[in-house]
Amino acid sequence: MPPAANSSSGLSRLRRIESSRVFQTLVISIIILSALAIGAKTYELSPLANQTLTVLDFAITLFFLVEILFRFAAFPDKKRFFLDGWNLFDTLVVVGSLIPLENSDAVLLGRLLRVFRVLRLVSVVPELRFLINSLLKAIPRMGYIALLMFIIFYIYAAIGSLFFARVDEVLWGDVAISMLTLFRIATFEDWTDIMYVTMEPYPFSWIFYVTFIFLTAFVFLNMMIGVILEVMSEEQNAKQAQKAHDERDDITRQLHSVQAQLTALSKQISQNSEK
Amino acid sequence: MPPAANSSSGLSRLRRIESSRVFQTLVISIIILSALAIGAKTYELSPLANQTLTVLDFAITLFFLVEILFRFAAFPDKKRFFLDGWNLFDTLVVVGSLIPLENSDAVLLGRLLRVFRVLRLVSVVPELRFLINSLLKAIPRMGYIALLMFIIFYIYAAIGSLFFARVDEVLWGDVAISMLTLFRIATFEDWTDIMYVTMEPYPFSWIFYVTFIFLTAFVFLNMMIGVILEVMSEEQNAKQAQKAHDERDDITRQLHSVQAQLTALSKQISQNSEK
Amino acid sequence: MPPAANSSSGLSRLRRIESSRVFQTLVISIIILSALAIGAKTYELSPLANQTLTVLDFAITLFFLVEILFRFAAFPDKKRFFLDGWNLFDTLVVVGSLIPLENSDAVLLGRLLRVFRVLRLVSVVPELRFLINSLLKAIPRMGYIALLMFIIFYIYAAIGSLFFARVDEVLWGDVAISMLTLFRIATFEDWTDIMYVTMEPYPFSWIFYVTFIFLTAFVFLNMMIGVILEVMSEEQNAKQAQKAHDERDDITRQLHSVQAQLTALSKQISQNSEK
Amino acid sequence: MPPAANSSSGLSRLRRIESSRVFQTLVISIIILSALAIGAKTYELSPLANQTLTVLDFAITLFFLVEILFRFAAFPDKKRFFLDGWNLFDTLVVVGSLIPLENSDAVLLGRLLRVFRVLRLVSVVPELRFLINSLLKAIPRMGYIALLMFIIFYIYAAIGSLFFARVDEVLWGDVAISMLTLFRIATFEDWTDIMYVTMEPYPFSWIFYVTFIFLTAFVFLNMMIGVILEVMSEEQNAKQAQKAHDERDDITRQLHSVQAQLTALSKQISQNSEK
């Protein structure tokens, strides 16, 4: 048996293992275990429990390393492995948690990277992967609306900072902090407290707040409606086109047979007349 | 007359009574009375009123016991009575309020069980039962979105607990309490108060809050749109399929008669030519 | 000329005046003037302005009285005048503000009745009347959902009052005040403050709040989706039925002419064969 | 070459420049630079930076002046230049920032006008211009609903001011301030704090707040549903009309050919019989 065929049959065996239910379930279980370990670390634990968690963390890191190597080995075209966003993400998370970190700041970073392991659940469960992909597809639709929203925020932040900076330095000090304050107002979070303060030097400043709330609510509402309509019309187009086609096909087929019958009839009459 | 037929005719009489308007109205009235009694108990009452309520409670418990036994007796296939979720629920609530409870903790539990009697209204009024069933049907649709939401909450809770635990032990102490805090933030409830505290040691922690709010709002919005679209397309499919069928049928029938006419014509010509 | 015809022509002249643009505009202007007068009274005014307002109020009351009498006179079938909800409402508001009120409590009531004059704008502007009618039509659709919501509120209020009454008498004292507190929680208004207080004696009471918020949000969301779908399918049904009918009619007509041609052909052949 | 042709060819050259990608990108870049300069001014800066910003501001003002003159020169029909809302807006913003302002109040006004330069981004980027136009189109649809909302607010404000003015002068002092308070209640912003205060003299004043919240939420919900349905049915009408037409055309064409065949057949038979 030539080596190429051997390797190919080995690869297909690897892929069979990789896509098997047992392997998938094992990976998901380890990810959930990893998530629980991350959660457990936020509680105050006995030294023994802490040591157990350290060992567990090492074991999980090792498992993930082996798993990603295995998936790489099972991948048919090695060069294109990292072109898939999910593979790249998995590799980065795994490699990231391999780097040994000693000083206290780095420990925080290391633990942060471990948190992202939970996201691997998304890359492993196909339904979640599909969901995320469809959510990502919804983003460009919102592009120009987001830009418009940003312009509205920027203009109001500039105006707010221009007039109210001397009233409340903390909330309206500069354009950046003003945008955060406006985001707070857009969520209706204690916005009247902010308004009552600025209404003392500027009695008409309620116009600023009320128009801002109306504008953002109005633009947001229109964005939502726009997205609903777009998704809906896309789906309907696809579906109705299909259905209309099916229907028409049916009638068209019948009409063709009518025409065929007519042609036959015409021939029949011709033959009759020739006789 | 054989006993079986006798029992069967007795059963059908029971069922006639059970499904009669008078019986239904009586049961609903007693449930509402029971709800009012539960409400009345939350007020401070005179000893006389309290005694009256105790007697009333006893009477209601008795009535519900008799009613459930009656419904059981009227049920054709006794073995499958408890397979229906509503029957099981009714029985549990009735049996639960039968258990005599003396010490103060148990009294609380007994009163809690009596509260659930109000839910029997749902099991008795068919429209509400239908509504609940259709709400329950909507849950699986939201399954994976709920899982995704949980993952987002878990990751943010882990990160929040990792960084902010030493800033505010009460809000970010461990991963569970952090998730509750995040739920609070998702409802916009005084979220800026939480943010301003953590922005002192971590000036860039607003990114944590703003991205979290965007993510949850975005995922929630997409879930809502998804559900609307799904329900809508289901309904439309059913309706349009029906309509399209009707339409096509009509035209098809006419076309068949055209073809029949053509066949008759062909035969007529053949006969002519034979003559 | 007989008196009946005379009265009828007088009536039609009255109706012509009533439905004239000038008359409508006059009534709307007076209502707006009345609204402004009501608003003006909430400010501190000079004695002169107050007197002017009193005179103006008297004049407006008189005008409304004359107007309603005029409308009554112009109405063809006097007996059915009060069967129209809008007429009844207008009459009540006008008659109500006629009653002379002296003591201070009654003055408040009199001013309250004058406020409702603004609502007459709705009864006079046809577009607003149409809008209100269509809003009223939307209510029965929400009937059973509202009942379900009430049951959820009642059960949670009973449970809340049962457990938390001794923690915070003001918020959970009895079942009525508990329902108000729950309504507050449903609007996310400082709900965590309430929760943190009850979490001290009952650490797991967050389950009470989180499940309540989920339930109400879920039921509300489903209600909204339900209403959207219902309205939409109603509209579409009407529209599509019309369109499908038009389409089918067209094709059916053509098919009929094909059949007629065939019948003619058959006759032609018969005649030929007879020759 | 006659001067007219010369001017016309000059104009078309100007327009070619104006609509070129390079020119568009330059204008957008300058607007963004202008926005950044406005933002930078809200920070505390060194004198040097301040001077740089002043020079930059002068340069930007000059650039915008040249640009608007250039656009005016490139416009074919000079008289109709200002009939386009966007051109008028651009001109006003540019001219406004030309006026030299010395005293401190005017400086504020001058800076306010510079803020509106950011809005020029909307007038320059075609996608944003399209978005704004479609948002503006959505406003009339909401006209009567907005009027109804205003009436509801006015009535509740009058009632609130009538009863609660002596309880809390700041929140319910007059009808205008009451409307602002009601807007705050409609956003659920600390509305229970307001309610608890008025519930002391008027224990039933919760009815005022709860009915107001229900009414506004209900009207708002219906408005949203109304807008969704209207936009949707408009789009569908357009699309389905097109599709139905296409479908019918197809079948109709086939039916015509059937009829043509039949006519030919009839002729054929006639000829046969004549032979």
Side-chain angles (χ1 to χ4, degrees), chain B residues 37-93:
Chain B
I38 289 158
K41 271 207 169 162
T42 64
Y43 292 89
E44 294 213 8
L45 298 166
S46 66
L48 181 70
N50 256 325
Q51 266 185 315
T52 316
L53 279 181
T54 309
V55 173
L56 186 66
D57 177 72
F58 185 75
I60 290 169
T61 307
L62 210 73
F63 175 85
F64 280 167
L65 183 63
V66 170
E67 188 237 334
I68 205 96
L69 288 174
F70 187 84
R71 286 223 329 255
F72 184 72
F75 203 82
D77 188 355
K78 307 294 188 246
K79 283 171 204 152
R80 308 186 57 193
F81 184 75
F82 295 109
L83 289 182
D84 180 61
W86 297 110
N87 287 336
L88 191 65
F89 172 77
D90 282 0
T91 312
L92 285 179
V93 167

Side-chain angles (χ1 to χ4, degrees), chain D:
Chain D
M1 203 192 282
N6 192 352
S7 141
S8 152
S9 102
L11 201 133
S12 75
R13 204 183 308 148
L14 282 179
R15 291 176 75 186
R16 233 181 5 251
I17 296 172
E18 191 210 2
S19 58
S20 71
R21 245 192 118 68
V22 178
F23 184 76
Q24 294 285 342
T25 312
L26 179 69
V27 172
I28 291 173
S29 308
I30 299 289
I31 293 174
I32 291 170
L33 186 70
S34 150
L36 292 177
I38 289 159
K41 271 207 170 163
T42 64
Y43 292 88
E44 294 212 8
L45 298 166
S46 66
L48 182 70
N50 257 325
Q51 266 185 316
T52 317
L53 278 181
T54 310
V55 173
L56 186 65
D57 177 71
F58 185 75
I60 290 169
T61 308
L62 210 73
F63 175 84
F64 280 166
L65 182 63
V66 171
E67 189 236 331
I68 205 93
L69 288 174
F70 185 84
R71 285 224 329 255
F72 184 73
F75 203 81
D77 187 356
K78 306 292 188 252
K79 283 170 203 153
R80 306 188 59 193
F81 184 74
F82 293 110
L83 288 181
D84 181 61
W86 297 110
N87 288 336
L88 192 65
F89 172 77
D90 282 0
T91 312
L92 285 179
V93 167
V94 169
V95 169
S97 51
L98 277 179
I99 303 161
L101 303 159
E102 295 305 309
N103 64 323
S104 90
D105 262 23
V107 161
L108 220 56
L109 193 74
R111 285 180 67 184
L112 192 61
L113 268 169
R114 271 158 187 78
V115 169
F116 287 114
R117 277 181 187 166
V118 184
L119 265 184
R120 292 210 49 215
L121 209 56
V122 176
S123 76
V124 169
V125 180
E127 283 88 356
L128 287 178
R129 204 147 69 177
F130 173 78
L131 209 60
I132 291 283
N133 282 338
S134 72
L135 286 180
L136 289 178
K137 250 191 291 176
I139 288 176
R141 267 183 225 134
M142 298 181 175
Y144 280 103
I145 287 269
L147 179 57
L148 185 65
M149 210 71 145
F150 185 83
I151 292 173
I152 293 173
F153 266 74
Y154 195 84
I155 289 174
Y156 270 89
I159 296 175
S161 181
L162 192 63
F163 286 94
F164 306 149
R166 57 200 177 106
V167 180
D168 192 333
E169 186 71 28
V170 176
L171 289 173
W172 303 103
D174 55 60
V175 81
I177 209 82
S178 295
M179 285 184 84
L180 187 59
T181 304
L182 286 172
F183 184 69
R184 168 184 169 172
I185 292 169
T187 65
F188 299 153
E189 222 300 88
D190 279 348
W191 66 272
T192 46
D193 296 355
I194 304 174
M195 180 179 66
Y196 290 140
V197 170
T198 61
M199 268 176 80
E200 262 164 55
Y202 301 102
F204 284 99
S205 64
W206 59 266
I207 298 171
F208 177 83
Y209 299 97
V210 172
T211 56
F212 177 73
I213 287 177
F214 267 110
L215 260 181
T216 48
F218 181 68
V219 171
F220 177 78
L221 191 69
N222 270 280
M223 179 184 74
M224 220 179 79
I225 294 174
V227 172
I228 293 182
L229 291 179
E230 200 176 322
V231 177
M232 204 141 55
S233 71
E234 258 172 45
E235 277 197 20
Q236 272 186 357
N237 275 3
K239 217 175 294 167
Q240 292 196 342
Q242 183 53 40
K243 197 170 54 57
H245 201 74
D246 292 358
E247 251 178 74
R248 202 168 40 204
D249 266 22
D250 225 58
I251 296 173
T252 301
R253 222 172 300 121
Q254 273 188 301
L255 281 170
H256 277 309
S257 89
V258 167
Q259 288 176 319
Q261 266 186 295
L262 284 171
T263 313
L265 212 63
S266 166
K267 233 178 247 167
Q268 200 180 357
I269 295 172
S270 300
Q271 287 170 350
N272 278 1
S273 78
E274 278 164 20
K275 270 198 276 186

Side-chain angles (χ1 to χ4, degrees), chain A residues 86-217:
Chain A
W86 296 111
N87 287 336
L88 192 65
F89 171 77
D90 282 359
T91 311
L92 284 180
V93 167
V94 169
V95 170
S97 49
L98 276 180
I99 303 161
L101 304 159
E102 295 304 309
N103 64 322
S104 91
D105 263 24
V107 161
L108 221 56
L109 193 75
R111 286 180 68 184
L112 193 61
L113 269 169
R114 270 157 186 79
V115 170
F116 286 116
R117 278 180 187 167
V118 184
L119 264 185
R120 292 211 47 216
L121 209 56
V122 175
S123 76
V124 169
V125 181
E127 282 89 356
L128 288 178
R129 204 149 69 179
F130 173 79
L131 208 62
I132 290 283
N133 282 338
S134 73
L135 287 180
L136 289 177
K137 250 191 289 176
I139 289 176
R141 269 182 224 134
M142 300 181 173
Y144 280 102
I145 287 269
L147 179 58
L148 184 65
M149 209 71 146
F150 185 84
I151 293 173
I152 293 173
F153 266 75
Y154 195 85
I155 289 174
Y156 270 90
I159 295 174
S161 180
L162 192 62
F163 286 93
F164 307 148
R166 57 199 177 103
V167 180
D168 190 334
E169 185 73 27
V170 176
L171 288 173
W172 303 103
D174 56 60
V175 82
I177 207 83
S178 294
M179 286 183 83
L180 187 58
T181 303
L182 286 172
F183 183 69
R184 168 183 170 173
I185 293 169
T187 65
F188 299 154
E189 223 300 88
D190 279 346
W191 67 272
T192 46
D193 295 354
I194 304 174
M195 179 178 67
Y196 291 140
V197 170
T198 60
M199 268 175 80
E200 261 163 56
Y202 301 101
F204 284 100
S205 64
W206 61 266
I207 298 171
F208 177 83
Y209 299 96
V210 172
T211 56
F212 177 73
I213 287 177
F214 267 111
L215 260 180
T216 48

Side-chain angles (χ1 to χ4, degrees), chain C residues 6-256:
Chain C
N6 191 352
S7 141
S8 152
S9 100
L11 202 134
S12 73
R13 205 183 308 148
L14 284 178
R15 291 177 74 185
R16 235 181 3 252
I17 297 172
E18 190 208 4
S19 58
S20 71
R21 245 192 119 69
V22 178
F23 185 76
Q24 295 285 342
T25 312
L26 179 69
V27 172
I28 292 174
S29 309
I30 299 289
I31 293 173
I32 291 170
L33 186 70
S34 149
L36 291 177
I38 289 159
K41 272 208 168 161
T42 64
Y43 292 89
E44 295 212 8
L45 298 166
S46 66
L48 181 70
N50 257 326
Q51 265 185 315
T52 317
L53 278 181
T54 309
V55 173
L56 186 66
D57 177 71
F58 185 75
I60 290 169
T61 307
L62 210 72
F63 175 86
F64 280 167
L65 182 64
V66 170
E67 189 237 332
I68 206 95
L69 288 174
F70 186 84
R71 285 225 327 257
F72 184 72
F75 202 82
D77 188 356
K78 305 293 187 250
K79 284 171 203 153
R80 307 187 59 192
F81 184 75
F82 294 110
L83 289 181
D84 181 61
W86 296 110
N87 287 336
L88 191 66
F89 172 78
D90 282 0
T91 311
L92 284 179
V93 167
V94 170
V95 170
S97 50
L98 276 179
I99 302 162
L101 304 160
E102 295 305 309
N103 64 322
S104 89
D105 262 24
V107 162
L108 220 57
L109 193 76
R111 287 180 66 185
L112 193 61
L113 269 168
R114 270 156 187 78
V115 169
F116 286 114
R117 278 180 187 167
V118 184
L119 265 184
R120 292 210 49 215
L121 210 56
V122 176
S123 77
V124 169
V125 180
E127 282 87 356
L128 287 178
R129 206 148 69 176
F130 172 78
L131 207 62
I132 291 283
N133 282 337
S134 73
L135 286 180
L136 289 178
K137 250 192 290 176
I139 288 177
R141 269 183 223 132
M142 299 180 173
Y144 280 102
I145 286 269
L147 179 58
L148 185 64
M149 211 70 146
F150 185 83
I151 293 173
I152 293 172
F153 266 75
Y154 196 85
I155 289 175
Y156 270 88
I159 297 175
S161 180
L162 192 64
F163 285 94
F164 306 148
R166 56 199 178 105
V167 180
D168 191 332
E169 185 72 26
V170 176
L171 289 173
W172 302 103
D174 56 60
V175 81
I177 208 84
S178 295
M179 287 184 82
L180 187 59
T181 304
L182 286 173
F183 183 69
R184 169 183 170 172
I185 292 169
T187 64
F188 299 154
E189 221 301 87
D190 278 348
W191 66 273
T192 46
D193 296 354
I194 304 174
M195 180 178 67
Y196 290 141
V197 171
T198 60
M199 268 176 81
E200 261 164 56
Y202 301 101
F204 284 100
S205 64
W206 60 266
I207 298 171
F208 177 83
Y209 298 96
V210 172
T211 56
F212 177 73
I213 288 176
F214 267 111
L215 260 180
T216 48
F218 181 67
V219 170
F220 178 77
L221 190 68
N222 271 280
M223 180 184 72
M224 220 179 79
I225 294 174
V227 172
I228 294 182
L229 290 179
E230 200 176 322
V231 177
M232 203 141 56
S233 71
E234 257 171 46
E235 277 198 21
Q236 272 186 358
N237 275 4
K239 216 175 292 168
Q240 292 195 344
Q242 182 53 40
K243 198 169 54 56
H245 200 74
D246 292 359
E247 250 178 75
R248 202 169 40 202
D249 265 23
D250 226 58
I251 296 174
T252 301
R253 221 172 301 121
Q254 273 189 301
L255 282 171
H256 277 307

Side-chain angles (χ1 to χ4, degrees), chain A residues 35 39 42-43 111 119 135 171 184 187 189-190 224 231-232 236 239 247 254 257 261-262 265 268 272, chain B residues 154 161-162 173-176 190-192 196 221-222 229 232-233 236-237 244 252 259 263 266 269-270 273:
Chain A
T42 64
Y43 292 88
R111 286 180 68 184
L119 264 185
L135 287 180
L171 288 173
R184 168 183 170 173
T187 65
E189 223 300 88
D190 279 346
M224 220 179 80
V231 177
M232 205 139 56
Q236 272 186 356
K239 217 175 294 168
E247 250 178 75
Q254 274 188 301
S257 89
Q261 266 186 297
L262 283 172
L265 212 64
Q268 200 182 358
N272 278 1
Chain B
Y154 195 85
S161 179
L162 191 63
D174 56 60
V175 82
D190 279 347
W191 67 272
T192 45
Y196 291 140
L221 191 68
N222 271 280
L229 291 178
M232 204 140 56
S233 71
Q236 272 187 357
N237 276 5
T252 302
Q259 289 176 319
T263 312
S266 168
I269 295 172
S270 298
S273 78

Side-chain angles (χ1 to χ4, degrees), chain B residues 35 39 42-43 111 119 135 171 184 187 189-190 224 231-232 236 239 247 254 257 261-262 265 268 272, chain C residues 154 161-162 173-176 190-192 196 221-222 229 232-233 236-237 244 255 259 263 266 269-270 273:
Chain B
T42 64
Y43 292 89
R111 286 180 67 184
L119 265 184
L135 287 181
L171 289 172
R184 168 184 170 171
T187 64
E189 222 300 88
D190 279 347
M224 221 179 79
V231 177
M232 204 140 56
Q236 272 187 357
K239 218 175 294 170
E247 251 179 74
Q254 274 188 302
S257 88
Q261 266 185 297
L262 283 172
L265 211 65
Q268 199 182 0
N272 278 2
Chain C
Y154 196 85
S161 180
L162 192 64
D174 56 60
V175 81
D190 278 348
W191 66 273
T192 46
Y196 290 141
L221 190 68
N222 271 280
L229 290 179
M232 203 141 56
S233 71
Q236 272 186 358
N237 275 4
L255 282 171
Q259 288 176 319
T263 312
S266 168
I269 295 173
S270 298
S273 79

